[in-house]
């Protein structure tokens, strides 16, 4: 029987992607599936990986115990750790596209992406805010049963959060919130809890945007005019959802144990509690897509790349979670 591997993308080759991928292979956790890397084999060899170039994802399992299998898609020129190069940008983009296609075709079980630099990709004309939106576009034509994403989820320990807006300046968040967007985020979150995490009846909480949930309109109106009415619609659909709940107390242990996931209005509202709870082990997931996609919950860390300081905890957690969700979707 052919064992389908996870498809791993190298990320920015000047970042810590090559190091954390190598560390994960060296550890070869028994509960994480074999994986194949889409990227520049030379970048992995430079950090000491025993690399074996393979032609197809299905060849990975046979060699995984002896060497790190790589679908070699070489860079146009070598990149040094800590020195990001715009010349590498289109290679990074092509690695993501190829690995995503392997998942769509069924050659790979799930996608795990190492960190990219949005600034480097933007310099090459990349128009997407990040992985989430790009992978959403790459999979847009593929069949999917249910409410469509992409929706970003962060998971750590006993907390799962999803984001109604992602990489926006705080000054733009309120204007970006729309009823259809909040409804989609909540529906995709509930759907993923059932499909990907085995939760029979999801319990959701939706955070407020303003301090003290707006204090009946004294500190903002969005809770009354937007978030509250959306919650009423969702309850009418049969979803168990609380809110709008003040974000300053929502993540306390006694409160968060009442819910399976929290829906947050903006980036830091979601990520601060995740990183306070488990700074090293958080996982980023993209929900509502026909492919399973996870990533570590950190960036390229150019400042420590090549110095032997990078920790692979979050990347290993992303591998494990991708394997678990892929198995739940297709045992």
């Amino acid at each position: 029987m052919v064992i389908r591997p996870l498809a791993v993308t190298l990320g920015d080759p000047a970042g810590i992607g090559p190091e954390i991928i190598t560390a994960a292979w060296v550890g070869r956790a028994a509960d994480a599936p074999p994986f194949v890397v889409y990227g520049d084999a030379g970048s992995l060899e430079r950090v000491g990986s025993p690399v074996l170039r393979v032609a197809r994802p299905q060849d990975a399992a046979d060699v995984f115990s002896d060497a790190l299998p790589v679908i070699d898609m070489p860079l146009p020129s070598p990149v040094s750790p800590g020195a990001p190069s715009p010349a590498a940008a289109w290679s990074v983009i092509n690695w993501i596209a190829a690995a995503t296609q392997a998942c769509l075709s069924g050659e790979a079980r799930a996608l795990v992406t190492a960190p990219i630099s949005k600034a480097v990709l933007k310099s090459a004309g990349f128009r997407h805010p990040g992985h989430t939106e790009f992978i959403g576009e790459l999979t847009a034509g593929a069949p999917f049963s249910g409410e469509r994403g992409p929706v970003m989820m962060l998971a750590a320990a006993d907390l799962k959060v999803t984001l109604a807006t992602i990489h926006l300046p705080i000054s733009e968040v309120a204007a970006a919130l729309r009823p259809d967007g909040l409804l989609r985020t909540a529906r995709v979150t509930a759907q993923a809890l059932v499909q990907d995490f085995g939760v029979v009846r999801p319990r959701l909480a939706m955070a407020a945007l303003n301090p003290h949930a707006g204090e009946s309109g004294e500190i903002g109106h969005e809770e009354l005019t937007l978030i509250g009415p959306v919650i009423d619609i969702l309850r009418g659909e049969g979803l168990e959802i609380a809110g709008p709940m003040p974000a300053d107390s929502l993540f306390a242990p006694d409160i968060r144990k009442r819910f399976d996931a929290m829906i947050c209005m903006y980036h830091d509202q979601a990520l601060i509690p995740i990183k306070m709870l488990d700074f090293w082990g958080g996982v980023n997931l993209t929900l509502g897509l026909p492919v399973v996609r996870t990533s570590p919950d950190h960036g390229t860390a150019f400042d420590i790349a090549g110095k032997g300081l990078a920790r692979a905890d979050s990347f290993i957690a992303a591998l494990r979670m991708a394997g678990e969700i892929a198995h739940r979707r297709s045992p």
Side-chain angles (χ1 to χ4, degrees):
M1 180 175 119
V2 175
I3 298 176
R4 293 183 298 143
L6 304 180
V8 168
T9 58
L10 186 64
D12 193 301
I16 61 172
E19 295 169 72
I20 61 177
I21 291 169
T22 297
W25 178 82
V26 169
R28 291 197 288 286
D31 53 350
F35 59 86
V36 60
V37 181
Y38 283 75
D40 177 59
S43 296
L44 289 159
E45 289 171 326
R46 280 189 287 276
V47 299
S49 299
V51 165
L52 185 61
R53 292 161 175 80
V54 296
R56 308 172 303 165
Q58 52 265 46
D59 298 330
D62 292 337
V63 304
F64 191 74
S65 60
D66 301 314
L68 182 53
V70 180
I71 305 286
D72 189 24
M73 301 173 68
L75 289 164
S77 57
V79 172
S80 299
S85 170
W90 280 105
S91 292
V92 174
I93 294 165
N94 290 334
W95 299 338
I96 299 167
T100 302
Q101 182 55 45
C103 295
L104 288 172
S105 69
E107 294 177 284
R109 290 176 61 80
L111 176 65
V112 183
T113 58
I116 57 174
S117 166
K118 299 171 185 66
V120 171
L121 297 190
K122 187 176 180 180
S123 71
F126 187 68
R127 68 181 188 279
H128 301 280
H131 270 119
T132 301
E133 298 83 0
F134 183 40
I135 296 167
E137 180 179 282
L138 290 172
T139 59
F144 179 70
S145 176
E147 189 82 16
R148 194 77 179 227
V151 166
M152 180 185 287
M153 172 181 276
L154 287 302
D158 65 344
L159 178 61
K160 294 180 179 67
V161 296
T162 54
L163 283 73
T165 66
I166 305 178
H167 297 117
L168 283 181
I170 289 292
S171 61
E172 298 177 14
V173 168
L177 294 171
R178 294 283 190 274
D180 57 346
L182 287 178
L183 288 167
R184 181 177 65 93
T185 300
R187 291 165 180 157
V188 170
T189 301
Q191 171 184 277
L193 288 169
V194 174
Q195 179 184 42
D196 296 336
F197 293 97
V199 177
V200 176
R201 182 170 175 77
R203 303 164 302 164
L204 302 181
M206 187 171 284
L209 174 66
N210 297 299
H212 307 298
E215 276 196 12
S216 301
E218 294 297 318
I219 319 177
H221 62 84
E222 287 82 4
E223 288 73 22
L224 297 175
T225 61
L226 172 64
I227 302 172
V230 163
I231 290 172
D232 290 340
I233 292 171
L234 293 166
R235 286 174 178 159
E237 296 173 356
L239 192 61
E240 185 175 335
I241 182 167
M245 298 186 67
D248 62 356
S249 56
L250 179 57
F251 304 101
D254 287 347
I255 296 178
R256 70 172 185 260
K257 70 183 180 183
R258 293 161 39 196
F259 303 104
D260 299 300
M262 321 291 203
I263 299 163
C264 296
M265 297 299 107
Y266 57 92
H267 184 276
D268 285 9
Q269 189 181 63
L271 270 74
I272 288 172
I274 284 284
K275 293 194 176 187
M276 290 293 291
L277 185 63
D278 188 359
F279 184 80
W280 297 110
V283 176
N284 180 348
L285 306 91
T286 305
L287 309 181
L289 297 182
V291 302
V292 176
R293 181 259 170 162
T294 67
S295 74
D297 181 23
H298 58 69
T300 53
F302 291 131
D303 57 324
I304 63 169
K307 298 178 181 179
L309 301 175
R311 289 180 54 159
D313 309 49
S314 184
F315 183 73
I316 292 169
L319 289 170
R320 288 176 174 151
M321 190 169 287
E324 290 165 1
I325 294 174
H327 179 74
R328 192 169 281 116
R329 285 197 189 185
S330 180

